[in-house]
């Protein structure tokens, strides 16, 4: 839309607006990561921020936005003579999730470089975003190779384009803003740490505020220009405040007391490295400037911690980001009041006495909270504040898990007896399976790597071998479309026999389009890892199920690190269900696993058939992504007519589909029936015991899962 939604017209979302404004005041803070559910104005707020940034002065005609006062000496469009240029609005450049590498960093014409010796460079999005905003919507879905390029540019403040010995470098300093829905997967830790601040957003549960959101949005959609005019004065005032805070920022003093509080907070929450301390210091300084003060106070340090630390204290991908505010207050209170606050407190006490503080108010009552993120009553968002999400009567109390369930002992353990005969299940009515309360998973461990055999062409990842744009060079081929990765020696060999016929007379090589060769590269791909977990009574002994959950949690952690999609099918009682459709959100799968209840019969055939249906649908959606089926079971099958035979037939169907599979054998005890091993044979897969699943059992060994069938999916290359 040509007319962006006014920033001051956004209702609520105080933390989001404050984080964005602090980066407008001090770009050195390092950007913002906005996490939240869909439909919470994440993208709207980011796009509206660009209109509040001061204009930038650039060298006339420079495609890389060099500053006239200090042009980049290595600018590809240079050299520039210092002097006056022109001013233009700060840019906000959007990076699409599916962008190519050349679109991000720029395209270098290799053909002209080889034939004419000319560096013909077309700038990319990093050049466009220099001295502005680079916005990545759904940043958690960004391909790994683009993430690597962003990390390099953010760390060095420059972008390097290398193509077979021909290189171009240009400055690339930008404000990085990303939005994401955590349900679709988490960010790599390296990129997560590059964001200075993080904000969690959610839709208000306050009806009045929701009504105001709808009213303003409808008015904007009906007539964007007229709606924007209504907010012109507020936008102008806020823009002036940003400019004033930027001017005040160099004069803000960050005292030793504030630095000690920052260091103590970072140490107390055990964040990695020193970037958190630096970001907190810059954020607290920007908060003071935004408030119009020249000294950083404890309140600034506290607010900076709430914005800069939650995403840095995660110890593993299954930890929810957040901060214990009581612990933070306890850490900050150890240092007493700020030196700069003593005189202010004395003055406030005198004012309180003059204004009659004792009118119905106790001396111990807390002071009222500020009205908004700016600490004043002039919040431009109009009526209503951020809702507490509970409504007038609060939310209903959560349902507690029962201590015991039918078919279990008093402490929730199942009555572990022999498996019923194959025909027993037919004589009993189909009813809800008896279940026990969910048990916690055991401590996760580093799991052995399970890979899909053969050579795929799926999305970039870190699990199975695949043809990719990045990786080791294995050969060459004629380019299909634009040349992206030149195979130099193959190109020279193709052009060499034709030099005399082409009239070569000088030292240069005469290269034609037909001579160019694209490099064939082999790397790693991410797979779809579908877990089929037996949650029946045969697996429900508390200690055993805890170990099973710990093993699956370990495999989920491995899937997160290898950039896989994951899905979860569970089977118990009379049927199987898809507990989690295939998704990139591994932590969501972990949450579903944690709450998994157990008990009842073992419909193994139903679990395998449901897994087959999920894989069939996913194959239609994403044909290039290969699947790995992980069946977690002790191999028993009960309920219905001939359950063992039906499970064997279902396994044969999966084998015929060419699905690579592994069976995690959870059978325990001195006497083992080996049923999981027989299931692995029927699947054409590999059996692995819980003990063998640990990487430290056979360190460094990588087991390829043997595929089955004649199809390309699952065959060993």
């Amino acid at each position: 839309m040509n007319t962006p939604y006014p920033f001051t017209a956004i209702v609520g979302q105080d933390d989001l607006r404050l984080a964005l404004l602090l980066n407008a005041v001090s770009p050195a803070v390092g950007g913002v990561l906005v996490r939240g559910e869909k439909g919470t104005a994440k993208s709207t707020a980011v796009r509206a921020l660009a209109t509040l940034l001061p204009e930038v002065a650039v060298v006339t005609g420079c495609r890389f936005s060099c500053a006239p006062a200090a042009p980049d000496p290595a600018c590809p469009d240079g050299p520039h003579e210092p002097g006056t240029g022109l001013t233009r609005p700060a840019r906000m450049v959007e990076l699409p999730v599916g962008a190519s590498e050349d679109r991000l960093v720029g395209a270098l014409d290799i053909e002209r470089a080889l034939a004419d010796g000319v560096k013909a460079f077309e700038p990319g999005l990093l050049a466009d975003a220099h001295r502005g905003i680079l916005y990545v919507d759904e940043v958690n879905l960004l391909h790994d190779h683009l993430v690597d390029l962003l990390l390099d540019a953010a760390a060095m403040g420059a972008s390097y384009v290398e193509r077979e010995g021909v290189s171009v470098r240009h400055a690339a300093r930008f404000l990085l803003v990303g939005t994401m829905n955590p349900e679709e997967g988490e960010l790599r830790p390296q990129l997560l740490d590059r964001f200075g601040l993080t904000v969690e957003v959610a839709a208000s549960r306050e009806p009045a505020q929701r009504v105001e959101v709808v009213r303003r949005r409808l008015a904007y959609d009906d007539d964007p220009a007229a709606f924007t005019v209504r907010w012109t004065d507020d936008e102008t005032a806020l823009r002036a405040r940003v400019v004033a805070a930027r001017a005040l920022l160099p004069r803000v003093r960050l005292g030793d007391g504030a630095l000690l509080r920052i260091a103590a907070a970072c140490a107390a929450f055990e964040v990695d490295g020193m970037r958190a301390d630096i970001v907190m210091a810059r954020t607290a300084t920007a908060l003071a400037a935004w408030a119009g003060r020249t000294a950083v106070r404890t309140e600034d340090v506290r607010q900076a911690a709430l914005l800069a630390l939650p995403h840095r204290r995660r110890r593993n991908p299954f930890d929810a980001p957040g901060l214990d505010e009581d612990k933070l207050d306890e850490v900050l209170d150890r240092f007493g009041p700020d030196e700069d606050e003593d005189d202010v407190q004395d003055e406030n006490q005198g004012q309180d006495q003059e204004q009659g503080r004792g009118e119905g108010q106790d001396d111990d009552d807390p002071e009222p909270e500020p009205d908004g993120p700016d600490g004043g009553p002039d919040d431009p968002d109009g009526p209503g504040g951020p809702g507490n999400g509970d409504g007038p009567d609060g939310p209903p109390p959560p349902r507690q898990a029962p201590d015991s369930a039918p078919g279990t002992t008093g402490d929730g353990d199942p009555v572990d007896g022999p498996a019923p005969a194959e025909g027993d299940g037919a004589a009993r009515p189909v009813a809800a399976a008896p279940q026990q309360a969910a048990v916690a998973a055991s401590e996760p461990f580093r799991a052995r790597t399970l890979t899909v055999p053969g050579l795929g062409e799926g999305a970039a990842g870190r699990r199975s071998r695949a043809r990719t744009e990045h990786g080791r060079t294995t050969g060459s081929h004629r380019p299909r479309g634009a040349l992206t990765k030149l195979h130099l020696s193959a190109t020279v060999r193709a052009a060499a026999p034709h030099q005399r016929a082409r009239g070569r007379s000088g030292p240069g090589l005469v290269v034609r389009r037909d001579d160019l060769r694209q490099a064939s590269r082999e790397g790693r791909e991410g797979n779809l890892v579908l877990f089929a977990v037996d949650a029946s009574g045969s697996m429900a002994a508390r200690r055993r199920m805890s170990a099973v959950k710990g093993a699956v949690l370990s495999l989920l952690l491995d899937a997160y690190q290898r950039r896989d999609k994951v899905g979860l099918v569970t089977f118990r009682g009379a049927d199987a269900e898809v507990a989690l459709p295939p998704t990139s959100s591994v932590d969501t799968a972990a949450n579903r696993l944690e709450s998994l209840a157990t008990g009842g019969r073992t419909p193994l055939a139903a679990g395998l058939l449901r897994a087959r249906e999920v894989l069939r649908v996913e194959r239609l959606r994403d044909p290039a992504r290969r699947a790995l089926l992980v069946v977690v079971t002790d191999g028993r099958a009960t309920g219905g007519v001939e359950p063992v035979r039906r499970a064997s037939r279902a396994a044969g169907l999966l084998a015929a589909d060419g699905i690579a599979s592994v069976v995690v054998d959870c059978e325990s005890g001195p006497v083992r029936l080996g049923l999981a091993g027989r299931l692995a044979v029927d699947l054409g897969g590999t059996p692995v015991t819980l003990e063998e699943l640990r990487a430290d059992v056979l360190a460094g060994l990588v087991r390829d899962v043997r595929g089955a069938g004649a199809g390309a999916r699952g065959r060993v290359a």
Side-chain angles (χ1 to χ4, degrees):
M1 219 171 262
N2 294 330
T3 305
Y5 192 90
F7 190 87
T8 51
I10 297 172
V11 180
Q13 307 295 14
D14 294 344
D15 288 342
L16 170 58
R17 292 187 293 117
L18 178 60
L20 292 172
L21 288 170
L22 291 177
N23 276 273
V25 171
S26 176
V29 166
V32 187
L33 174 65
V34 187
R35 298 165 46 94
E37 58 196 23
K38 51 188 176 294
T40 49
K42 300 187 297 292
S43 301
T44 299
V46 175
R47 294 187 177 102
L49 176 67
T51 62
L52 300 178
L53 297 181
E55 293 186 334
V56 295
V58 297
V59 174
T60 304
C62 178
R63 298 175 297 168
F64 302 89
S65 302
C66 284
D72 182 5
C75 176
D77 284 353
H80 303 300
E81 293 293 331
T84 59
L86 56 87
T87 59
R88 60 163 175 78
R91 291 173 179 164
M92 194 202 71
V93 178
E94 294 195 40
L95 171 60
V97 171
S100 65
E101 178 180 339
D102 285 346
R103 184 73 186 97
L104 178 62
V105 300
L108 190 62
D109 192 332
I110 299 297
E111 187 175 355
R112 289 190 62 190
L114 290 176
D116 305 328
V118 176
K119 290 184 180 180
F121 180 68
E122 184 65 28
L125 296 177
L126 290 180
D128 294 341
H130 180 47
R131 304 175 67 196
I133 301 173
L134 181 63
Y135 171 49
V136 189
D137 193 14
E138 306 295 349
V139 63
N140 51 324
L141 303 182
L142 201 63
H143 288 180
D144 275 0
H145 68 283
L146 297 183
V147 170
D148 294 336
L149 295 171
L150 274 182
L151 289 173
D152 290 342
M156 298 183 292
S159 174
Y160 292 84
V161 184
E162 301 283 347
R163 294 288 189 276
E164 302 298 339
V166 181
S167 66
V168 174
R169 175 257 180 212
H170 63 83
R173 291 182 294 275
F174 46 82
L175 175 61
L176 181 61
V177 181
T179 56
M180 60 174 283
N181 184 347
E183 295 178 356
E184 297 174 338
E186 288 292 341
L187 276 179
R188 283 173 52 183
Q190 295 91 335
L191 183 57
L192 187 65
D193 190 53
R194 282 292 175 187
F195 286 98
L197 311 179
T198 186
V199 178
E200 294 278 345
V201 297
S204 172
R205 299 297 183 262
E206 180 63 38
Q209 193 171 30
R210 296 175 73 95
V211 167
E212 186 63 21
V213 171
V214 174
R215 182 181 291 117
R216 294 186 186 184
R217 186 69 206 191
L218 292 178
Y220 172 76
D221 291 340
D222 289 341
D223 192 343
F227 182 83
T228 303
V229 169
R230 289 169 47 192
W231 297 91
T232 300
D233 292 342
D234 293 323
E235 292 281 291
T236 301
L238 190 58
R239 190 179 299 108
R241 186 174 176 184
V242 170
V243 173
R246 277 195 172 192
L248 181 62
L249 187 66
R251 294 188 282 128
V252 175
R253 183 172 62 86
L254 183 65
D256 291 342
L259 282 172
L260 281 173
R261 288 178 172 85
I262 290 171
C266 293
F269 289 102
E270 300 179 351
V271 298
D272 295 330
M274 295 297 298
R275 182 173 285 118
D277 303 64
I278 297 171
V279 170
M280 273 190 65
R282 290 171 174 166
T283 305
T285 303
L287 281 162
W290 181 246
R293 290 185 270 101
T294 58
V296 173
R297 297 180 180 174
T298 301
E299 63 197 69
D300 301 324
V301 175
R302 185 182 190 278
Q303 184 65 61
L306 294 176
L307 293 172
L309 295 187
H311 61 300
R312 291 187 166 90
R313 60 167 297 275
R314 301 180 71 180
R315 312 316 300 174
N316 67 64
F318 305 139
D319 290 338
L323 213 61
D324 185 342
E325 295 191 33
D326 292 336
K327 180 178 179 180
L328 176 62
D329 291 335
E330 180 183 345
V331 172
L332 298 179
D333 288 345
R334 295 176 190 170
F335 297 90
D338 291 330
E339 296 177 1
D340 297 334
E341 292 178 345
D342 292 339
D343 296 337
V344 176
Q345 291 176 354
D346 293 340
E347 181 180 347
N348 289 340
Q349 289 176 2
Q351 291 177 353
D352 291 337
Q353 293 174 359
E354 293 175 3
Q355 295 174 4
R357 177 180 171 88
E359 290 183 18
Q361 181 177 353
D362 197 288
D363 289 342
D364 295 332
D365 288 344
E367 295 181 2
E369 293 285 333
D371 292 330
D374 304 341
D378 54 346
D379 186 359
D381 281 350
N388 56 15
D390 295 338
D393 297 325
R399 298 180 61 184
Q400 300 295 327
D403 292 334
S404 62
T408 64
T409 61
D411 59 359
D413 289 328
V415 180
D416 200 7
E422 291 187 0
D424 284 353
R428 299 187 181 182
V430 176
Q435 68 179 47
Q436 67 177 70
V439 298
S442 63
E443 188 69 22
F445 50 83
R446 188 168 66 90
R448 289 170 52 185
T449 304
L450 304 171
T451 63
V452 178
L455 195 62
E457 295 181 349
R462 300 178 181 177
R463 182 171 297 277
S464 305
R465 295 173 54 219
R467 299 181 185 91
T468 60
E469 288 292 322
H470 302 270
R472 64 186 183 90
T473 301
T474 58
S476 64
H477 61 273
R478 291 181 181 273
R480 296 184 292 269
L483 179 71
T484 56
K485 300 291 183 183
L486 178 74
H487 195 295
L488 184 58
S489 60
T491 299
V492 171
R493 288 197 302 270
H498 309 291
Q499 296 305 297
R500 180 176 297 178
R502 293 173 183 173
R504 173 187 171 186
S505 58
L509 190 67
V510 181
V511 179
R512 301 282 172 82
R513 174 69 184 175
D514 291 342
D515 301 328
L516 298 178
R517 295 293 182 269
Q518 176 87 13
S520 300
R521 302 199 174 192
E522 181 180 311
R524 293 279 169 177
E525 67 176 358
N527 298 117
L528 166 60
V529 181
L530 181 63
F531 294 92
V533 180
D534 182 351
S536 65
S538 66
M539 294 275 292
R542 298 182 73 86
R543 181 177 301 176
R544 193 185 322 162
M545 198 62 199
S546 177
V548 169
K549 285 188 175 182
V552 178
L553 194 64
S554 304
L555 291 170
L556 284 171
L557 180 60
D558 181 68
Y560 165 79
Q561 294 169 339
R562 300 185 187 281
R563 315 303 292 171
D564 294 318
K565 289 181 69 175
V566 297
L568 180 62
V569 171
T570 63
F571 50 96
R572 56 179 291 272
D575 203 357
E577 65 173 348
V578 181
L580 181 70
T583 175
S584 297
S585 180
V586 177
D587 56 340
T588 301
N591 293 335
R592 300 286 174 89
L593 177 72
E594 193 67 26
S595 60
L596 178 64
T598 57
R601 297 184 182 276
T602 311
L604 179 57
L608 296 176
L609 291 175
R610 183 60 61 90
R612 182 179 182 236
E613 178 62 18
V614 171
L615 295 174
R616 184 189 68 80
V617 173
E618 282 300 306
R619 192 157 52 239
L620 294 175
R621 291 177 178 172
D622 188 359
R625 188 182 290 269
R626 298 186 296 163
L628 173 63
L629 176 63
V630 180
V631 184
V632 184
T633 181
D634 56 8
R636 297 185 184 184
T638 60
V641 179
E642 297 185 335
V644 175
R645 185 172 300 176
R646 287 190 291 111
S648 178
R649 286 200 296 265
L653 292 175
L654 284 163
D657 291 341
I659 303 298
S661 60
V662 60
V663 178
V664 179
D665 185 358
C666 303
E667 190 175 25
S668 61
V671 178
R672 303 198 179 196
L673 302 179
L675 298 177
R678 298 179 197 171
L679 177 63
V681 172
D682 292 334
L683 285 168
T686 303
V688 179
T689 65
L690 286 175
E691 293 78 13
E692 293 173 341
L693 197 60
R694 294 177 176 268
D696 51 6
V697 173
L698 296 173
L701 178 63
V702 176
R703 171 174 296 187
D704 284 346
V705 182
R706 295 187 180 92
R713 299 175 60 85
R715 287 189 303 171
V716 179

